[in-house]
Amino acid sequence: MDRILIRGGVPLRGTVEISGAKNAALPIMAASLLTNEPLQLHNVPDLADIASMQRLLQHLGVSATYVAGEPGGIVLHAPEILSDTAPYDLVRKMRASVLVLGPLVARTGQARVSLPGGCAIGPRPIDLHLMGLERLGATIELVEGYVQARAPQGLKGAEIRLPQPSVGATENLMMAAALAKGATVIAGAAREPEIVDLADCLNAMGAKITGAGTSFIEIEGVPALHGAVHRIIPDRIEAGTYAMAAAITGGRIVLGNARLDFFGAAKEVLEEAGMMLEETDDGLVAGLADGGLRGTDAMTRPFPGFATDLQAQFMALMCVADGAAMITETIFENRFMHVPELARLGARINVHGASALVRGVKELKGAPVMATDLRASVSLVLAGLAAKGQTEINRIYHLDRGYERLEEKLGAVGAQIERVP
Ligand SMILES: CC(=O)N[C@H]1[C@@H](OP(=O)(O)OP(=O)(O)OC[C@H]2O[C@@H](n3ccc(=O)[nH]c3=O)[C@H](O)[C@@H]2O)O[C@H](CO)[C@@H](O)[C@@H]1O
Ligand SMILES: C=C(OP(=O)(O)O)C(=O)O
């Protein structure tokens, strides 16, 4: 199994190009199931999760061809649906597979999707996806680990209230409602930039969706969607990760294609912690401001709050800040798996329920550590970049789910990092 070796202590300088957003590309790829015409996508990142979604879509009848000479250019085409079943083997590797449920039932009137099960960061139920589909008139049954959704007469527009803003449920329901008869409102919708990107793509395909980016989304169903050309937004989590990589090493880098308005509350939190973030004509300049890093509290919230997908990276940053930071995770039950690994590098962290108290130390020291999930893994990369000596990160397949060419991008801004078999 591959490992990553890092020799820390080099301030990062230079430019990193930010890739297309994994969490925007995955639902948008699933949207290709909604039409029998080709959907041409640009800026799709080259990631293990994208390959997993492609495999699942292929199984369902979607062909994928690459746009010649353009990395990130893919044409997805589902002239007809060949299977209505998303099997366990394909779904268990990636939770976002559940995003085919809404589109499949909307297009064919039926779908069987394996329940994704929990993962390292928590149980992650899909009850809100199912409640919303029932409101749209689907009957839902659980049979042998599979969710079976049926709407032989087609889906019907409805008012759906989400008791908490789920990103995946909002996406699944927006896609399903796009082809339902009549009007749907989703109240209490999630407001993440990836939801706006999906709505933009669906509207380019002929859907009638307004209000994406607010907690009240209205969808006027249409009888059919058509093909479209769409460019995926830049990855705000990748951008935030590299911004913190620059700061933790005392460096400054330019993030090409990054958008500061996608940072939400992370902008203020990172600035309070001693970072500078400035939009320039060349890109977003990010790194350590003139003073040092300061212990700063953060609480994860749905967008525009501080993203849970940046919590582990921020914790790594706070490990070497001056003073203490209280980091509270409110989205997922078990998203502190990085704590014992950061402790192996010399971090001082105490977890009390959903909060972690991080007391900054002068220096981290390299050690072998184990990656447990995507963002936990990259927090160890950040800590390794700051640590004295060598850090060896094992189980790095998690990183390949969400970071395109990580070693190459970090190496180009001066990091001493290599992947070894
Ligand atoms: C592929 C993708 O885009 N993944 C992102 C998406 O995951 P995902 O869409 O799975 O996350 P959700 O927004 O749905 O989850 C938010 C919270 O709602 C709960 N919940 C969700 C659905 C449901 O039916 N019932 C329920 O109780 C979850 O357990 C969690 O506590 O948003 C998360 C929160 O920003 C991010 O960390 C993930 O990176
Ligand atoms: C938790 C994440 O992804 P997923 O929802 O696909 O597990 C993530 O991107 O950090």
PDB file of all heavy atoms in Angstrom, residues 22-23 26 49 94-96 119 121 124 309 332 335 374-375 401, ligand 2:
ATOM      1  N   LYS A  22     -15.104  18.338  -6.052  1.00  0.00           N
ATOM      2  CA  LYS A  22     -15.623  16.962  -5.976  1.00  0.00           C
ATOM      3  C   LYS A  22     -17.107  16.961  -5.622  1.00  0.00           C
ATOM      4  O   LYS A  22     -17.905  16.265  -6.255  1.00  0.00           O
ATOM      5  CB  LYS A  22     -14.839  16.181  -4.904  1.00  0.00           C
ATOM      6  CG  LYS A  22     -15.532  14.938  -4.384  1.00  0.00           C
ATOM      7  CD  LYS A  22     -14.711  14.186  -3.368  1.00  0.00           C
ATOM      8  CE  LYS A  22     -14.934  14.525  -1.921  1.00  0.00           C
ATOM      9  NZ  LYS A  22     -16.192  14.040  -1.311  1.00  0.00           N
ATOM     10  N   ASN A  23     -17.470  17.731  -4.604  1.00  0.00           N
ATOM     11  CA  ASN A  23     -18.845  17.656  -4.091  1.00  0.00           C
ATOM     12  C   ASN A  23     -19.859  18.379  -4.974  1.00  0.00           C
ATOM     13  O   ASN A  23     -21.061  18.266  -4.748  1.00  0.00           O
ATOM     14  CB  ASN A  23     -18.906  18.180  -2.654  1.00  0.00           C
ATOM     15  CG  ASN A  23     -18.257  17.200  -1.690  1.00  0.00           C
ATOM     16  OD1 ASN A  23     -17.940  16.065  -2.066  1.00  0.00           O
ATOM     17  ND2 ASN A  23     -18.044  17.625  -0.462  1.00  0.00           N
ATOM     18  N   LEU A  26     -19.978  15.397  -8.253  1.00  0.00           N
ATOM     19  CA  LEU A  26     -20.668  14.113  -8.028  1.00  0.00           C
ATOM     20  C   LEU A  26     -22.177  14.212  -8.272  1.00  0.00           C
ATOM     21  O   LEU A  26     -22.728  13.433  -9.063  1.00  0.00           O
ATOM     22  CB  LEU A  26     -20.352  13.569  -6.635  1.00  0.00           C
ATOM     23  CG  LEU A  26     -18.894  13.108  -6.435  1.00  0.00           C
ATOM     24  CD1 LEU A  26     -18.615  12.821  -4.964  1.00  0.00           C
ATOM     25  CD2 LEU A  26     -18.598  11.867  -7.284  1.00  0.00           C
ATOM     26  N   ASP A  49     -13.196   9.224  -6.255  1.00  0.00           N
ATOM     27  CA  ASP A  49     -14.658   9.297  -6.119  1.00  0.00           C
ATOM     28  C   ASP A  49     -15.334   9.549  -7.469  1.00  0.00           C
ATOM     29  O   ASP A  49     -16.443   9.048  -7.713  1.00  0.00           O
ATOM     30  CB  ASP A  49     -15.063  10.429  -5.149  1.00  0.00           C
ATOM     31  CG  ASP A  49     -15.095   9.931  -3.703  1.00  0.00           C
ATOM     32  OD1 ASP A  49     -14.603   8.818  -3.449  1.00  0.00           O
ATOM     33  OD2 ASP A  49     -15.614  10.668  -2.842  1.00  0.00           O
ATOM     34  N   MET A  94     -18.586   4.632  -1.878  1.00  0.00           N
ATOM     35  CA  MET A  94     -18.775   6.075  -1.897  1.00  0.00           C
ATOM     36  C   MET A  94     -20.220   6.426  -1.565  1.00  0.00           C
ATOM     37  O   MET A  94     -21.138   6.086  -2.300  1.00  0.00           O
ATOM     38  CB  MET A  94     -18.429   6.604  -3.290  1.00  0.00           C
ATOM     39  CG  MET A  94     -18.489   8.097  -3.352  1.00  0.00           C
ATOM     40  SD  MET A  94     -18.275   8.707  -4.998  1.00  0.00           S
ATOM     41  CE  MET A  94     -19.569   7.855  -5.843  1.00  0.00           C
ATOM     42  N   ARG A  95     -20.420   7.165  -0.484  1.00  0.00           N
ATOM     43  CA  ARG A  95     -21.772   7.496  -0.037  1.00  0.00           C
ATOM     44  C   ARG A  95     -22.549   8.318  -1.049  1.00  0.00           C
ATOM     45  O   ARG A  95     -23.772   8.214  -1.137  1.00  0.00           O
ATOM     46  CB  ARG A  95     -21.695   8.277   1.256  1.00  0.00           C
ATOM     47  CG  ARG A  95     -21.335   7.445   2.452  1.00  0.00           C
ATOM     48  CD  ARG A  95     -21.521   8.296   3.662  1.00  0.00           C
ATOM     49  NE  ARG A  95     -22.809   8.984   3.549  1.00  0.00           N
ATOM     50  CZ  ARG A  95     -23.965   8.470   3.942  1.00  0.00           C
ATOM     51  NH1 ARG A  95     -24.001   7.286   4.500  1.00  0.00           N
ATOM     52  NH2 ARG A  95     -25.086   9.151   3.793  1.00  0.00           N
ATOM     53  N   ALA A  96     -21.823   9.166  -1.815  1.00  0.00           N
ATOM     54  CA  ALA A  96     -22.514  10.043  -2.766  1.00  0.00           C
ATOM     55  C   ALA A  96     -23.251   9.244  -3.850  1.00  0.00           C
ATOM     56  O   ALA A  96     -24.048   9.806  -4.604  1.00  0.00           O
ATOM     57  CB  ALA A  96     -21.524  11.013  -3.408  1.00  0.00           C
ATOM     58  N   CYS A 119     -20.068   5.476   7.952  1.00  0.00           N
ATOM     59  CA  CYS A 119     -18.653   5.558   7.553  1.00  0.00           C
ATOM     60  C   CYS A 119     -17.879   6.111   8.735  1.00  0.00           C
ATOM     61  O   CYS A 119     -18.457   6.343   9.803  1.00  0.00           O
ATOM     62  CB  CYS A 119     -18.481   6.403   6.307  1.00  0.00           C
ATOM     63  SG  CYS A 119     -18.748   8.146   6.569  1.00  0.00           S
ATOM     64  N   ILE A 121     -16.859   8.835   9.747  1.00  0.00           N
ATOM     65  CA  ILE A 121     -17.203  10.086  10.436  1.00  0.00           C
ATOM     66  C   ILE A 121     -18.577  10.058  11.115  1.00  0.00           C
ATOM     67  O   ILE A 121     -18.958  11.014  11.754  1.00  0.00           O
ATOM     68  CB  ILE A 121     -17.076  11.312   9.496  1.00  0.00           C
ATOM     69  CG1 ILE A 121     -18.052  11.239   8.307  1.00  0.00           C
ATOM     70  CG2 ILE A 121     -15.657  11.465   9.010  1.00  0.00           C
ATOM     71  CD1 ILE A 121     -18.003  12.475   7.410  1.00  0.00           C
ATOM     72  N   ARG A 124     -24.568   8.643   9.415  1.00  0.00           N
ATOM     73  CA  ARG A 124     -25.019   9.266   8.170  1.00  0.00           C
ATOM     74  C   ARG A 124     -26.287   8.621   7.568  1.00  0.00           C
ATOM     75  O   ARG A 124     -26.250   8.025   6.483  1.00  0.00           O
ATOM     76  CB  ARG A 124     -23.872   9.296   7.147  1.00  0.00           C
ATOM     77  CG  ARG A 124     -22.648   9.990   7.716  1.00  0.00           C
ATOM     78  CD  ARG A 124     -21.527  10.125   6.748  1.00  0.00           C
ATOM     79  NE  ARG A 124     -21.797  11.123   5.718  1.00  0.00           N
ATOM     80  CZ  ARG A 124     -20.950  11.450   4.771  1.00  0.00           C
ATOM     81  NH1 ARG A 124     -19.774  10.852   4.708  1.00  0.00           N
ATOM     82  NH2 ARG A 124     -21.237  12.361   3.864  1.00  0.00           N
ATOM     83  N   ASP A 309     -15.936  20.046   6.553  1.00  0.00           N
ATOM     84  CA  ASP A 309     -14.871  19.457   5.730  1.00  0.00           C
ATOM     85  C   ASP A 309     -13.542  20.220   5.868  1.00  0.00           C
ATOM     86  O   ASP A 309     -12.542  19.820   5.268  1.00  0.00           O
ATOM     87  CB  ASP A 309     -15.292  19.403   4.254  1.00  0.00           C
ATOM     88  CG  ASP A 309     -16.431  18.419   4.013  1.00  0.00           C
ATOM     89  OD1 ASP A 309     -16.784  17.663   4.940  1.00  0.00           O
ATOM     90  OD2 ASP A 309     -16.972  18.406   2.883  1.00  0.00           O
ATOM     91  N   PHE A 332     -21.192  16.124  12.193  1.00  0.00           N
ATOM     92  CA  PHE A 332     -21.015  14.666  12.245  1.00  0.00           C
ATOM     93  C   PHE A 332     -20.605  14.227  13.651  1.00  0.00           C
ATOM     94  O   PHE A 332     -19.874  14.923  14.353  1.00  0.00           O
ATOM     95  CB  PHE A 332     -19.988  14.211  11.202  1.00  0.00           C
ATOM     96  CG  PHE A 332     -20.498  14.387   9.791  1.00  0.00           C
ATOM     97  CD1 PHE A 332     -19.929  15.328   8.946  1.00  0.00           C
ATOM     98  CD2 PHE A 332     -21.575  13.646   9.328  1.00  0.00           C
ATOM     99  CE1 PHE A 332     -20.427  15.507   7.647  1.00  0.00           C
ATOM    100  CE2 PHE A 332     -22.072  13.816   8.043  1.00  0.00           C
ATOM    101  CZ  PHE A 332     -21.499  14.750   7.199  1.00  0.00           C
ATOM    102  N   ARG A 335     -16.208  12.977  14.120  1.00  0.00           N
ATOM    103  CA  ARG A 335     -15.255  13.517  13.155  1.00  0.00           C
ATOM    104  C   ARG A 335     -13.998  14.057  13.833  1.00  0.00           C
ATOM    105  O   ARG A 335     -13.454  15.092  13.445  1.00  0.00           O
ATOM    106  CB  ARG A 335     -15.914  14.583  12.288  1.00  0.00           C
ATOM    107  CG  ARG A 335     -15.311  14.550  10.897  1.00  0.00           C
ATOM    108  CD  ARG A 335     -15.986  15.394   9.868  1.00  0.00           C
ATOM    109  NE  ARG A 335     -15.435  15.005   8.553  1.00  0.00           N
ATOM    110  CZ  ARG A 335     -15.738  15.593   7.424  1.00  0.00           C
ATOM    111  NH1 ARG A 335     -16.580  16.598   7.386  1.00  0.00           N
ATOM    112  NH2 ARG A 335     -15.196  15.172   6.283  1.00  0.00           N
ATOM    113  N   LEU A 374     -11.023  11.116   4.594  1.00  0.00           N
ATOM    114  CA  LEU A 374     -10.439  12.075   3.651  1.00  0.00           C
ATOM    115  C   LEU A 374      -9.834  13.317   4.318  1.00  0.00           C
ATOM    116  O   LEU A 374      -8.660  13.633   4.136  1.00  0.00           O
ATOM    117  CB  LEU A 374     -11.545  12.471   2.654  1.00  0.00           C
ATOM    118  CG  LEU A 374     -11.263  13.596   1.691  1.00  0.00           C
ATOM    119  CD1 LEU A 374     -10.016  13.341   0.884  1.00  0.00           C
ATOM    120  CD2 LEU A 374     -12.471  13.771   0.753  1.00  0.00           C
ATOM    121  N   ARG A 375     -10.631  14.033   5.097  1.00  0.00           N
ATOM    122  CA  ARG A 375     -10.125  15.304   5.633  1.00  0.00           C
ATOM    123  C   ARG A 375      -9.171  15.065   6.796  1.00  0.00           C
ATOM    124  O   ARG A 375      -8.252  15.851   7.024  1.00  0.00           O
ATOM    125  CB  ARG A 375     -11.277  16.225   6.035  1.00  0.00           C
ATOM    126  CG  ARG A 375     -12.332  16.428   4.946  1.00  0.00           C
ATOM    127  CD  ARG A 375     -11.803  16.992   3.639  1.00  0.00           C
ATOM    128  NE  ARG A 375     -12.849  16.898   2.598  1.00  0.00           N
ATOM    129  CZ  ARG A 375     -12.666  17.219   1.326  1.00  0.00           C
ATOM    130  NH1 ARG A 375     -11.491  17.616   0.887  1.00  0.00           N
ATOM    131  NH2 ARG A 375     -13.655  17.098   0.461  1.00  0.00           N
ATOM    132  N   ARG A 401      -9.367  10.094  -2.804  1.00  0.00           N
ATOM    133  CA  ARG A 401     -10.803  10.330  -3.022  1.00  0.00           C
ATOM    134  C   ARG A 401     -11.076  11.795  -3.314  1.00  0.00           C
ATOM    135  O   ARG A 401     -12.056  12.109  -3.990  1.00  0.00           O
ATOM    136  CB  ARG A 401     -11.592   9.977  -1.743  1.00  0.00           C
ATOM    137  CG  ARG A 401     -11.884   8.531  -1.526  1.00  0.00           C
ATOM    138  CD  ARG A 401     -12.882   8.378  -0.382  1.00  0.00           C
ATOM    139  NE  ARG A 401     -13.988   9.316  -0.567  1.00  0.00           N
ATOM    140  CZ  ARG A 401     -14.656   9.909   0.415  1.00  0.00           C
ATOM    141  NH1 ARG A 401     -14.356   9.672   1.657  1.00  0.00           N
ATOM    142  NH2 ARG A 401     -15.633  10.739   0.156  1.00  0.00           N
TER     143      ARG A 401
HETATM  144  C1  LIG B   2     -17.151  13.688   3.891  1.00  0.00           C
HETATM  145  C2  LIG B   2     -16.768  13.940   2.635  1.00  0.00           C
HETATM  146  O1  LIG B   2     -17.227  13.292   1.537  1.00  0.00           O
HETATM  147  P1  LIG B   2     -18.410  12.194   1.432  1.00  0.00           P
HETATM  148  O2  LIG B   2     -19.671  12.905   1.790  1.00  0.00           O
HETATM  149  O3  LIG B   2     -18.380  11.804  -0.008  1.00  0.00           O
HETATM  150  O4  LIG B   2     -18.053  11.098   2.389  1.00  0.00           O
HETATM  151  C3  LIG B   2     -15.779  15.004   2.334  1.00  0.00           C
HETATM  152  O5  LIG B   2     -15.674  15.398   1.161  1.00  0.00           O
HETATM  153  O6  LIG B   2     -15.078  15.460   3.267  1.00  0.00           O
END
